[in-house]
Amino acid sequence: MASLYLKNLSKTYPGRVTAVRDFSLEIKDQEFLILVGPSGCGKTTVLRMIAGLEEISSGELYIDDRLVNDVAAKDRDIAMVFQNYALYSHLSVYDNMAFGLKLRKIPKAEIRKNVQEAARILALEDLLKRKPKELSGGQRQRVALGRAIVRKPKVFLMDEPLSNLDARLRAQMRIEIAKLHKNLQTTFIYVTHDQTEAMTMGTRIVVMKDGLIQQIDSPQSIYDHPVNMFVAGFLGNPGMNFLEVLIIEQNGCIFTKLADALLPVPTAGGQKLKEQGYLDQEVVLGIRAEHLCGSGDFLDRHPECALRGRLEFTELRGAETYHYVSIAGREVVVRVSPELRAKTGQEVRVGFNMSKAHFFDQES
Ligand code: ADP
Ligand code: MG
């Protein structure tokens, strides 16, 4: 169990690639924190600095209030699980899990106890004699987790641990890792570029881009209140729709104008846009697929909140159906009722629940 404090951490690699800039974050004891962002944004570098595998260029790293910049990796009491599992192919499952403990000269009986306990938690008890090549991908990933668990570290770092698994196993392991966190009651820092993992596993998400933190908050708050277009587009599947619109005022009401079509902005939001100086300016209207509709009550009650477009494509996702509709040359994704029948090429109406709309500066 441990809390961490990362204070203005930066990392510049030889050759002057600044991979992480001014990264500040407090991680509470027993938290399940997710670091998410596209490939190359610096996630692994942050983890490696925490683990002590990469020197910190500037800033301070505290574990339980102790400055550890100069503490060697092996003395930090942190375990890291890697994407490629990093198992020893010539060792059995048991010996892979016991390896780190043997190095630390832990008594044999204690090693046995710890390995058996980890094997029980991870349902590996029947596989302890096997070699890694005799295991499935999911089983190998469990062994990699087991190797971390046996050490009873203060902090678990996981670097995209599920990215080599197929979709079904990934979904299963997501739940297992979340349960593991509950069981172990230890601090987890989990890196992923997968927005589903980010949204479902952790208690708090840090969204990164180009080495910089974009937003830190709970999954739901980030989903509902993204601070910029990058965050809005990254989390959620499908991602948020973006439309460039003009903000105008007519008869005291605020509207967004897209080509010739107007959509009214609810009063409070409209006033805010006006106060922020967006009148007669172009902004980006962001709206999620579930806040658009193709039929039903909302459209009947609010015909003024609908735009006409052309159905380009229908995507069936089992429980959900999405329409890809082009409106004034832009494509939007609309979550529609599965009963709604419309043919590709047909003209359709799309209802906009403008109380759920976001507005962004174009450059954000
Ligand atoms: P992520 O894990 O988010 O994909 P990384 O932390 O691996 O990102 O990398 C961040 C940036 O730092 C990338 O531009 C990458 O090319 C660079 N980088 C990573 N490791 C090294 C290294 N050892 N030497 C030089 N540049 C590196
Ligand atoms: Mg990485």
Side-chain angles (χ1 to χ4, degrees):
M1 292 202 276
S3 60
L4 290 96
Y5 178 32
L6 286 57
K7 190 177 174 201
N8 305 108
L9 288 194
S10 292
K11 175 69 189 182
T12 304
Y13 286 109
R16 295 205 296 278
V17 180
T18 300
V20 174
R21 291 164 210 265
D22 232 359
F23 194 101
S24 290
L25 178 66
E26 281 184 64
I27 303 162
K28 292 189 263 315
D29 184 27
Q30 300 188 24
E31 188 166 4
F32 194 145
L33 183 94
I34 306 269
L35 282 183
V36 68
S39 178
C41 73
K43 305 178 298 292
T44 296
T45 302
V46 171
L47 276 201
R48 290 176 59 85
M49 285 194 284
I50 296 173
L53 302 171
E54 205 67 70
E55 204 178 309
I56 294 166
S57 304
S58 66
E60 289 159 6
L61 171 65
Y62 297 86
I63 301 177
D64 284 335
D65 299 326
R66 173 178 171 224
L67 183 66
V68 296
N69 285 46
D70 298 324
V71 174
K74 66 176 177 29
D75 299 324
R76 289 193 190 186
D77 211 358
I78 286 177
M80 186 151 165
V81 179
F82 298 91
Q83 173 180 351
N84 61 5
Y85 318 141
L87 300 179
Y88 298 109
S89 57
H90 61 289
L91 296 182
S92 67
V93 168
Y94 182 95
D95 288 329
N96 261 290
M97 294 214 276
F99 190 83
L101 302 181
K102 281 185 186 158
L103 273 188
R104 284 178 175 70
K105 308 250 184 314
I106 308 284
K108 258 207 169 118
E110 192 179 332
I111 293 180
R112 177 157 293 277
K113 184 170 147 280
N114 286 5
V115 171
Q116 271 163 354
E117 194 183 326
R120 185 181 50 76
I121 293 173
L122 295 164
L124 287 170
E125 287 152 305
D126 296 336
L127 306 174
L128 288 170
K129 291 203 175 78
R130 292 207 198 163
K131 297 274 171 61
K133 67 171 187 300
E134 297 163 326
L135 302 174
S136 69
Q139 290 165 340
R140 274 180 222 164
Q141 185 51 264
R142 280 204 199 95
V143 178
L145 287 170
R147 206 167 45 175
I149 292 175
V150 294
R151 289 176 44 196
K152 301 189 188 288
K154 279 194 203 168
V155 182
F156 279 91
L157 306 179
M158 303 194 188
D159 194 358
E160 313 218 15
L162 308 185
S163 52
N164 287 336
L165 303 179
D166 66 46
R168 202 177 54 84
L169 253 180
R170 224 168 31 230
Q172 196 180 323
M173 286 301 288
R174 272 207 308 268
I175 295 164
E176 287 192 24
I177 291 176
K179 280 190 193 156
L180 191 64
H181 173 254
K182 274 217 168 76
N183 263 334
L184 299 176
Q185 303 197 321
T186 311
T187 313
F188 275 38
I189 306 175
Y190 185 101
V191 158
T192 181
H193 66 265
D194 179 305
Q195 66 87 31
T196 309
E197 287 177 25
M199 287 298 296
T200 56
M201 294 178 74
T203 40
R204 228 161 33 122
I205 302 181
V206 179
V207 185
M208 292 180 69
K209 180 194 174 198
D210 298 337
L212 288 170
I213 294 180
Q214 304 291 304
Q215 190 167 4
I216 308 174
D217 216 326
S218 69
Q220 196 64 48
S221 295
I222 291 196
Y223 189 79
D224 291 339
H225 308 288
V227 294
N228 58 29
M229 279 174 72
F230 173 80
V231 175
F234 195 78
L235 292 178
N237 179 17
M240 191 180 277
N241 293 297
F242 296 121
L243 294 164
E244 281 151 34
V245 296
L246 188 67
I247 302 295
I248 63 161
E249 187 169 22
Q250 259 184 22
N251 305 326
C253 295
I254 303 294
F255 293 86
T256 67
K257 189 164 188 270
L258 174 72
D260 290 332
L262 297 183
L263 286 171
V265 181
T267 315
Q271 283 313 312
K272 208 167 130 201
L273 284 169
K274 198 172 163 183
E275 281 160 23
Q276 289 170 331
Y278 285 119
L279 215 51
D280 300 320
Q281 305 286 318
E282 288 224 325
V283 300
V284 175
L285 162 69
I287 190 155
R288 296 201 183 275
E290 65 264 35
H291 299 134
L292 299 175
C293 63
S295 62
D297 251 19
F298 180 85
L299 264 180
D300 297 340
R301 279 186 287 116
H302 297 283
E304 77 286 4
C305 290
L307 297 182
R308 290 189 180 280
R310 202 178 97 104
L311 179 61
E312 302 289 349
F313 182 67
T314 300
E315 183 186 25
L316 302 172
R317 288 197 193 176
E320 288 168 346
T321 301
Y322 292 93
H323 277 178
Y324 291 71
V325 179
S326 84
I327 297 176
R330 292 305 169 102
E331 191 167 75
V332 296
V333 191
V334 185
R335 189 168 82 189
V336 297
S337 140
E339 293 84 50
L340 182 63
R341 295 276 168 260
K343 286 204 187 81
T344 302
Q346 192 179 323
E347 192 184 72
V348 291
R349 277 198 311 158
V350 176
F352 282 64
N353 181 352
M354 293 296 282
S355 67
K356 301 291 188 184
H358 302 260
F359 294 96
F360 301 105
D361 279 327
Q362 272 168 315
E363 295 306 312
S364 77

